[in-house]
Amino acid sequence: MSEKVNMDTFFEQSLSGFLVTGNDGSIIHSNERLAQWMGCLPVDIKGKRFADLLAIGGKIYYETHLAPLLQMQGYFEEVMIELRGKGDIKQKVLVNALECRDNDGALASVNYTLVKASDRLQYEQNLQEAKKKVETELLTQQETVKLREELIAVLGHDLRNPLNAISIAGEMLAESPLSDNDKMLVGSVNRSSRRMAELIGNIMDFARTRLGGGMKIVLEHVVLEPVLRQVVRELQLFFPGRKIMIDFDITEPVHCDPHRVAQLLSNLLANALTHGSADEPVMVYVYHREGILQISVSNKGEPISKELQLEIFTPFAREANRPSQNGLGLGLYISAEIARAHHAELTCVSDNNETSFTFKMPAG
Amino acid sequence: MSVLKRNNVTVRGKGTRVILLAHGFGCDQHMWKYITPAFEADYKIVLFDHVGAGKSDLSAYASDKYTKLEGYADDIIAMLEALHMEQVIFVGHSVSAMIGALASIKAPRLFASLIMVAPSPCYINDGDYIGGFSHTQIEELLEALDSNHLGWSVSMAPVIMGNADRPELGEELANSFCQTDPAIAREFARTTFLTDKRNILSSITTPTLILQCSSDVIAPVAVGEYMQQHIPGSQLVVMNATGHCPNLSAPAETIAAIKEFLS
């Protein structure tokens, strides 16, 4: 078998369509595969132009886009186009075309290679549909999430007013002459309403952070120590039987949002008092040294499981096997958001020795 | 934004007479690159991209303006006024031939002559008039445009794959073709192929040359003959060139025909 025979066989017996046009754009050769797609014989195609093989849209696309590209660039590649044969036979193909020029640079021929694209088109359509479906689902879910967060914000806001009435009444009652038993009951009402106000505050912060794209803070130059001592004093009042040890080394003013930093300490300290060992003191350690403000809160007792440590700063995170004792699991998420807004870091270390949360902020 | 920036106008060449070249649907000013060198020594050459094509300001595209050829014609007048040019030789390819004709009727003093390359006043057959496309074909085209199963932009490779990793397409040319916004291309196609401006041909007063290719799917020779009969004093040259873009496929023949007309 000579090489010539091989090439002829290759040209004719192929799953690809081959086509050659002359320098005037008319078809000189085409193979049987192409003719089969067109529903005719190769001889029927001879003398036609490539655009004649296409449906109307393809014809115009070819003449206005592809032919100019071919003439200016010398080739085009991977173009999907629809052949339109006898009796409206349709076949989607991918086309490559290459100009061949003679030694003088004059156009000699254009070689076209066509590959059937039906499967690929199907594949592509499936991908497009899958993409569309996912996009729709995502949109629905985003809307649901947004609605839920808006609901939370509205609910939180509306709960505040009746709670305020309870708190004020409770505080007024506490100042009246009461029996010991009533004093205990009023104390319980006041502690509970304070805790509830805190929870509502957390919920609203959470909703605001999620809806508004992060926590908003108001920075000021502030002497932080009295603010933080006040937080400790308040919590000591609510946990009268517990020992809180403090170590403050902070004299210079710090650039931060004092209300938010106080909120962070309040969250960390309340957690330590709630979850830590009741027999041992909770340590609060605050220092401002070498441009770093550090606030640490440590407690003894059961360590936080490794699994929970990984997601402790995400909303609603809590021990799976331990029902909520006191909260929604938003406090640490909000503390972490406060840290983020201050370009600070909030970390957790917990082992059999102790559990400790540390806020570390660059503070000039 | 200035008109000249909006339409990415470039001016080059020597000489006092001005040739303004307007590209047709699907291309941009690059399509004149084989023609302009032959005129640069003797003429000032003005090239531009229609709004929506090439490196024009896409944000200037407004459907209500550009779904009529008059919108494009007004841009040509605005460009010439901004350049303080009058009596220019207008060369328009394909749909731009009719855009130039509209501009010349509105502002005749701006134009010395019109050279129409592969023009057509109406692409649809209508009674005795042969535009090249039947109603059924045009309906099919419109359907194809709506379902967007044609590229119309150069989505050379399928959309999903993207072209970002195709360095060889990063050339100037492929880039400019890729810059066709598919939505704009669809509207421009609709505007172009639904156009019927046969009624303005007799109002053209500027001397006109019609260059028709001998085998053009989009604008058959019969269209050229029709135009020659209806544009007063016009000349028709049917070239040996085939296809719809003789300025690319047969630049020498195209240049010769233009020079002959201008001399």
Side-chain angles (χ1 to χ4, degrees):
Chain A
M1 215 186 277
S2 73
E3 276 182 23
K4 175 82 174 76
V5 173
N6 272 334
M7 287 318 293
D8 283 349
T9 314
F10 179 79
F11 187 84
E12 287 304 337
Q13 297 181 8
S14 172
L15 287 175
S16 305
F18 296 119
L19 186 147
V20 183
T21 59
N23 59 5
D24 64 348
S26 61
I27 296 170
I28 306 171
H29 299 298
S30 67
N31 71 351
E32 278 171 23
R33 181 67 53 194
L34 186 75
Q36 184 199 329
W37 288 337
M38 294 300 296
C40 61
L41 297 170
V43 66
D44 299 327
I45 294 172
K46 205 168 173 178
K48 290 190 173 176
R49 301 171 57 78
F50 183 74
D52 294 332
L53 309 182
L54 309 175
I56 169 79
K59 267 194 220 311
I60 289 172
Y61 183 47
Y62 183 83
E63 292 292 354
T64 56
H65 288 73
L66 299 177
L69 191 61
L70 180 63
Q71 284 151 358
M72 292 170 76
Q73 190 171 251
Y75 68 90
F76 65 76
E77 264 187 306
E78 285 188 60
V79 176
M80 190 170 308
I81 211 157
E82 191 174 65
L83 296 179
R84 181 66 60 94
K86 246 187 195 164
D88 263 2
I89 297 185
K90 292 173 195 174
Q91 179 60 57
K92 282 258 163 68
V93 288
L94 282 173
V95 186
N96 294 334
L98 181 68
E99 277 191 341
C100 299
R101 296 189 171 269
D102 62 22
N103 291 337
D104 304 327
L107 180 70
S109 66
V110 180
N111 298 345
Y112 295 80
T113 312
L114 295 82
V115 181
K116 208 167 150 180
S118 354
D119 283 356
R120 169 164 154 161
L121 192 73
Q122 184 70 48
Y123 173 65
E124 220 176 84
Q125 281 169 347
N126 288 346
L127 278 180
Q128 291 279 24
E129 269 164 33
K131 187 169 157 246
K132 220 184 216 167
K133 199 172 152 209
V134 170
E135 280 170 355
T136 317
E137 276 171 12
L138 186 68
L139 208 67
T140 320
Q141 280 185 10
Q142 279 170 342
E143 274 165 11
T144 313
V145 166
K146 191 157 173 268
L147 202 69
R148 227 176 259 160
E149 283 168 357
E150 279 168 356
L151 177 73
I152 291 171
V154 171
L155 186 68
H157 186 263
D158 289 356
L159 284 174
R160 263 191 178 170
N161 293 334
L163 184 63
N164 272 343
I166 295 172
S167 305
I168 290 166
E171 276 159 27
M172 286 168 73
L173 273 178
E175 283 165 20
S176 331
L178 292 171
S179 71
D180 283 353
N181 190 45
D182 288 352
K183 263 185 199 158
M184 205 181 72
L185 291 175
V186 169
S188 172
V189 167
N190 286 344
R191 268 194 303 281
S192 297
S193 45
R194 184 192 180 276
R195 181 69 188 136
M196 199 160 156
E198 216 174 75
L199 291 173
I200 291 173
N202 281 349
I203 286 176
M204 290 184 65
D205 279 343
F206 166 73
R208 240 179 263 138
T209 322
R210 302 286 281 210
L211 288 173
M215 176 163 288
K216 308 278 181 296
I217 54 169
V218 183
L219 294 174
E220 51 186 287
H221 225 50
V222 64
V223 179
L224 212 45
E225 181 165 348
V227 180
L228 298 183
R229 281 188 184 274
Q230 176 61 24
V231 171
V232 176
R233 255 197 307 276
E234 273 180 23
L235 278 155
Q236 184 70 75
L237 280 178
F238 285 101
F239 292 86
R242 299 291 303 279
K243 193 165 174 55
I244 303 173
M245 294 176 64
I246 56 172
D247 183 359
F248 277 63
D249 180 6
I250 170 169
T251 45
E252 295 296 309
V254 179
H255 199 59
C256 67
D257 183 330
H259 304 293
R260 290 301 188 182
V261 173
Q263 188 186 3
L264 175 133
L265 176 61
S266 177
N267 280 337
L268 296 182
L269 187 52
N271 277 349
L273 290 164
T274 310
H275 302 293
S277 157
D279 313 328
E280 285 165 285
V282 170
M283 285 291 305
V284 176
Y285 178 48
V286 180
Y287 77 71
H288 180 205
R289 224 179 281 150
E290 290 164 7
I292 301 284
L293 170 70
Q294 180 167 327
I295 302 174
S296 296
V297 178
S298 320
N299 62 270
K300 305 286 180 186
E302 280 282 302
I304 301 166
S305 72
K306 291 280 174 239
E307 295 76 32
L308 182 58
Q309 279 189 44
L310 289 176
E311 50 176 39
I312 190 115
F313 296 113
T314 57
F316 312 115
R318 63 164 69 100
E319 291 288 2
N321 55 358
R322 201 194 287 176
S324 166
Q325 291 177 333
N326 209 346
L328 296 162
L330 283 177
L332 284 175
Y333 166 73
I334 286 160
S335 302
E337 286 297 313
I338 292 171
R340 195 203 310 273
H342 282 88
H343 306 290
E345 60 175 33
L346 180 61
T347 51
C348 162
V349 176
S350 182
D351 53 32
N352 287 326
N353 183 30
E354 66 170 12
T355 293
S356 156
F357 285 85
T358 303
F359 169 83
K360 215 185 249 186
M361 181 184 98
Chain B
M1 165 162 304
S2 80
V3 178
L4 303 183
K5 202 162 175 199
R6 180 190 67 191
N7 281 91
N8 188 27
V9 175
T10 53
V11 181
R12 66 165 85 113
K14 304 184 187 91
T16 48
R17 297 185 73 192
V18 178
I19 299 185
L20 172 70
L21 297 116
H23 69 84
F25 167 72
C27 300
D28 64 23
Q29 59 183 276
H30 284 94
M31 70 157 355
W32 299 110
K33 72 172 189 177
Y34 300 142
I35 301 294
T36 48
F39 295 93
E40 272 172 25
D42 304 314
Y43 294 89
K44 191 154 271 171
I45 311 272
V46 181
L47 294 167
F48 71 96
D49 296 332
H50 282 303
V51 169
K55 291 197 172 67
S56 67
D57 177 18
L58 293 189
S59 69
Y61 188 86
S63 290
D64 51 351
K65 175 174 178 185
Y66 293 110
T67 43
K68 296 190 195 86
L69 293 189
E70 284 79 358
Y72 291 97
D74 287 345
D75 282 0
I76 305 259
I77 293 171
M79 276 181 258
L80 290 175
E81 281 172 351
L83 290 164
H84 305 290
M85 289 173 174
E86 286 188 358
Q87 292 292 305
V88 307
I89 299 153
F90 178 91
V91 182
H93 175 243
S94 193
V95 67
S96 280
M98 292 313 295
I99 291 171
L102 286 165
S104 78
I105 292 167
K106 196 168 178 183
R109 68 186 164 81
L110 297 181
F111 299 89
S113 51
L114 295 177
I115 296 171
M116 302 179 162
V117 183
S120 174
C122 175
Y123 296 88
I124 309 174
N125 300 338
D126 178 23
D128 291 341
Y129 174 78
I130 297 170
F133 297 107
S134 68
H135 273 285
T136 325
Q137 282 178 310
I138 290 293
E139 268 162 34
E140 193 188 327
L141 170 66
L142 296 183
E143 196 192 308
L145 287 175
D146 286 340
S147 66
N148 195 26
H149 76 248
L150 291 165
W152 289 120
S153 67
V154 167
S155 44
M156 289 300 212
V159 191
I160 286 177
M161 292 171 62
N163 282 338
D165 54 352
R166 298 275 305 278
E168 71 275 23
L169 280 181
E171 297 165 18
E172 185 189 28
L173 163 68
N175 256 344
S176 73
F177 272 70
C178 289
Q179 275 162 1
T180 311
D181 177 283
I184 295 177
R186 276 207 299 279
E187 261 183 24
F188 195 16
R190 197 174 267 275
T191 306
T192 301
F193 293 105
L194 288 181
T195 284
D196 183 355
K197 291 288 174 202
R198 283 176 291 169
N199 61 343
I200 69 153
L201 296 179
S202 60
S203 311
I204 298 173
T205 53
T206 310
T208 301
L209 169 68
I210 301 156
L211 289 180
Q212 208 74 17
C213 292
S214 48
S215 172
D216 180 355
V217 183
I218 293 181
V221 177
V223 168
E225 286 163 356
Y226 179 91
M227 294 183 81
Q228 198 267 322
Q229 284 158 21
H230 289 79
I231 301 174
S234 61
Q235 288 181 38
L236 170 67
V237 173
V238 178
M239 299 191 289
N240 292 324
T242 57
H244 186 55
C245 302
N247 44 337
L248 289 168
S249 63
E253 192 185 3
T254 310
I255 290 164
I258 294 174
K259 283 198 167 163
E260 164 92 34
F261 175 71
L262 293 178
S263 62

